[in-house]
Amino acid sequence: MAASISPAGIAANKHVAIIDIGSNSIRLVVYDGWTRTPVALFNEKAICALGQGLGQSGRLNPEGARDAVDMLGRFVRLARAMAVDALDILATAAVRDALDGPDFVAAVESRCGVPVTVLTGEEEARLAAMGVLCGTPQADGTVADLGGGSLELVALDHGRFAGSHATMPLGVLRLSEASGNVRARAEDLIEGHFKTIDWWGWAKDRPLYAVGGAWRAFARLCLAQTGHPLHVLDNFSLDRHESLRLIELISNQSRKSLEKIAGLSKKRVPHLPVAALLLEKVIEHARPSRLIFSVYGMREGQFYKRLPPDVQWQDPLIASCSDMAQTAGRFPEHGEEMLEWMGVLFRNETESQGRLRYAACLLGDVFWNEHPDYRAEQAFLRVFRLPFMGLGHQDRAALALAIHARYEGDHDLPQAADARSLLSDEEQRRARVIGLALRLGHSISGGVPGILRTTRLFGDREILMLEVPAGDPAFVPDLSDRRYDRLARAAGFERFEIRKV
């Protein structure tokens, strides 16, 4: 697969700014160029509570509106100072539904000199779904995006819009105010809207992708409650029954207990009961196979929407790894060669396994300039924690362990033990074989492209054999190393040999 490509006529390193005017907060994100995987160069949020009281008054919160106009002036000033190539200001449910929404838009446009796009409910829903597709191009299931003023549901069918969507005034702010934070009343309001949706049956046994700040906060609680070894929110996944169990458990926690959770914003805590109730009801109606939390939503959807179709359909993981190889690797083209060369050891791999091995081969020489004493550890930690798109927690652990083995990492590294806890014995073995094969290939070739293509790796009964050309000066010295027996044993052979032919 190709690496990142910028839209025609647009330089890849041009910054892109998107401002999201939500019902509770407004946020500026500046992305570092038109690449397949949006990287946030700058990210700032302000709580303005525009939608506070909207349900009763029909109008925006006056104080919040004044604060929002001031903050948007700051955001636009910063974006212009960064010389962004594009600046989009998007407004969602609060501005869309308020009687004085047009007046607010006019005030912002007069102050900032930039047009404001007020999204319809359908447009907001589609952008949230496109944000999920940005990270998971083949997403198949229901995207649920919870904001302060509304809840959007969108059906995706293997990376495409299935045609079903819904937008409802069930955001955490609006539902809290409408129900007076009385659970029974909130349940009645939710059920009143959910009964109008006629495609719940389609959602059954497909994943549910949870988007939005309130549900990201809930994901942090789930990570804390389960002792999950990787504190990365994106693609954190639970099965349906475990999700409901944790919702019940967390819903019974006191506010004081919740505020002690590391990394959880105290401003989110008051809205957690409503957010948990909404998630519970969506799960009960949709009956998904799994709950998957996504950190990518409407803003990433807007970014993704601007990319050409051929760039949109690139694999985000492979694009990211290709970018890393190009910028940090010594000979980035060597990854493709390595992938083919070691293929004999992985004849029966699935498509997803092959994708992960491809990513490992691209990353196989990225960490060459780390201090030798810490190279394996640093490489492992970076891969395990980097914000890769399109990578579940198990695959992230397998990829990190493969790179750890490539640099002969210490098996006792505590974080590596955390990664192994996410994988079966066979998955651990496979990651180790990939890493040790990378080490062999880089050692034999010096990491230089072209040399491996003159050799052949294959199994000869109990021996893992590497044939090399006898007349090639690169192989005249004795390159045998007892460490290579580790690869042979991990791959199911008794020993490793080099044969000159």
Side-chain angles (χ1 to χ4, degrees):
M1 299 181 184
S4 301
I5 301 173
S6 60
I10 299 177
N13 61 352
K14 291 287 188 179
H15 302 328
V16 184
I18 298 174
I19 298 175
D20 167 17
I21 305 175
S23 299
N24 189 43
S25 65
I26 61 173
R27 185 186 293 270
L28 164 66
V29 181
V30 180
Y31 297 104
D32 188 22
W34 295 100
T35 59
R36 172 58 183 84
T37 53
V39 177
L41 176 72
F42 181 84
N43 189 328
E44 184 173 324
K45 180 180 73 171
I47 301 295
C48 295
L50 274 175
Q52 185 175 318
L54 177 63
Q56 288 74 36
S57 69
R59 306 179 70 84
L60 297 173
N61 171 15
E63 183 179 351
R66 288 192 296 271
D67 290 345
V69 172
D70 289 342
M71 188 55 66
L72 288 166
R74 166 181 165 77
F75 284 175
V76 171
R77 174 71 175 86
L78 290 174
R80 285 175 171 156
M82 296 181 200
V84 299
D85 187 59
L87 169 59
D88 293 332
I89 302 181
L90 309 176
T92 57
V95 177
R96 176 174 69 238
D97 296 341
L99 294 173
D100 56 348
D103 295 334
F104 173 79
V105 169
V108 172
E109 292 179 341
S110 175
R111 173 75 170 271
C112 301
V114 179
V116 176
T117 300
V118 181
L119 300 173
T120 66
E122 179 178 356
E123 288 170 338
E124 185 176 352
R126 288 179 68 88
L127 283 181
M130 290 187 78
V132 172
L133 291 175
C134 186
T136 310
Q138 291 298 315
D140 179 51
T142 305
V143 175
D145 180 19
L146 178 62
S150 63
L151 170 66
E152 277 74 41
L153 300 175
V154 186
L156 294 177
D157 187 5
H158 295 91
R160 300 184 182 277
F161 290 99
S164 299
H165 70 274
T167 181
M168 295 159 283
L170 294 174
V172 289
L173 277 180
R174 194 174 294 187
L175 183 57
S176 293
E177 292 175 357
S179 66
N181 284 318
V182 176
R183 180 182 174 94
R185 194 178 302 165
E187 288 180 333
D188 288 343
L189 291 169
I190 294 169
E191 293 296 341
H193 287 283
F194 280 11
K195 70 182 181 183
T196 66
I197 298 175
D198 59 6
W199 48 276
W200 286 120
W202 180 92
K204 183 180 178 182
D205 294 329
R206 297 174 185 248
L208 171 66
Y209 300 89
V211 177
W215 282 342
R216 286 196 297 273
F218 181 79
R220 289 190 185 279
L221 293 175
C222 292
L223 287 169
Q225 289 290 337
T226 59
H228 192 72
L230 178 60
H231 282 218
V232 173
L233 296 181
D234 191 47
N235 270 307
F236 173 50
S237 176
L238 299 163
D239 68 39
R240 180 172 73 239
H241 301 294
E242 179 70 356
S243 301
L244 292 173
R245 185 188 73 81
L246 286 170
I247 288 172
E248 181 180 7
L249 179 64
I250 292 170
S251 296
N252 291 325
Q253 298 290 313
S254 68
R255 179 168 178 170
K256 187 175 181 180
S257 296
L258 294 176
E259 289 177 345
K260 293 179 180 179
I261 302 297
L264 181 63
S265 170
K266 291 184 178 180
K267 293 180 180 179
R268 291 286 186 193
V269 172
H271 303 305
L272 282 173
V274 168
L277 176 60
L278 280 162
L279 186 56
E280 176 186 334
K281 291 302 179 183
V282 173
I283 291 172
E284 287 178 353
H285 282 264
R287 297 184 61 78
S289 56
R290 298 193 67 78
L291 169 64
I292 302 174
F293 292 96
S294 173
V295 301
Y296 304 111
M298 191 188 74
R299 291 179 297 275
E300 290 75 23
Q302 177 71 8
F303 179 94
Y304 182 64
K305 178 183 176 181
R306 283 178 166 268
L307 297 177
D310 60 326
V311 180
Q312 291 179 356
W313 283 93
Q314 291 176 14
D315 185 312
L317 172 63
I318 300 304
S320 291
C321 293
S322 295
D323 285 346
M324 291 179 68
Q326 290 291 331
T327 57
R330 290 173 293 184
F331 306 101
E333 63 272 30
H334 192 43
E336 300 273 354
E337 186 177 289
M338 188 72 73
L339 178 73
E340 180 182 353
W341 175 79
M342 69 168 72
V344 66
L345 300 176
F346 306 95
R347 293 190 184 279
N348 298 316
E349 69 186 1
T350 65
E351 182 178 352
S352 63
Q353 289 173 334
R355 171 181 181 256
L356 203 65
R357 183 165 65 88
Y358 186 11
C361 290
L362 291 170
L363 296 178
D365 196 39
V366 165
F367 306 101
W368 64 273
N369 61 347
E370 297 284 351
H371 190 288
D373 291 348
Y374 301 102
R375 187 175 292 145
E377 180 179 350
Q378 289 291 93
F380 169 83
L381 291 175
R382 287 195 63 194
V383 175
F384 197 39
R385 296 169 178 172
L386 272 173
F388 287 117
M389 276 186 157
L391 194 61
H393 284 203
Q394 288 177 300
D395 285 347
R396 180 184 291 272
L399 184 58
L401 287 172
I403 299 303
H404 192 237
R406 180 263 184 270
Y407 291 111
E408 288 196 310
D410 182 357
H411 197 72
D412 294 329
L413 181 68
Q415 294 90 342
D418 288 340
R420 287 193 293 272
S421 73
L422 294 172
L423 302 175
S424 67
D425 290 345
E426 174 56 27
E427 289 167 334
Q428 293 179 48
R429 185 200 68 82
R430 177 183 169 83
R432 182 167 174 77
V433 171
I434 293 172
L436 294 175
L438 284 170
R439 181 166 186 81
L440 170 63
H442 280 281
S443 297
I444 293 296
S445 67
V448 180
I451 291 181
L452 274 186
R453 295 190 188 280
T454 69
T455 74
R456 183 168 74 99
L457 185 68
F458 64 97
D460 183 6
R461 284 176 269 190
E462 76 276 8
I463 302 172
L464 178 61
M465 187 73 66
L466 178 66
E467 283 188 351
V468 301
D472 191 327
F475 303 108
V476 169
D478 182 5
L479 299 177
S480 299
D481 191 320
R482 292 177 62 184
R483 293 177 300 175
Y484 300 150
D485 286 339
R486 301 175 190 171
L487 169 61
R489 291 193 294 270
F493 300 94
E494 290 186 8
R495 65 183 188 277
F496 173 84
E497 288 186 9
I498 296 178
R499 177 191 298 167
K500 296 181 179 182
V501 295

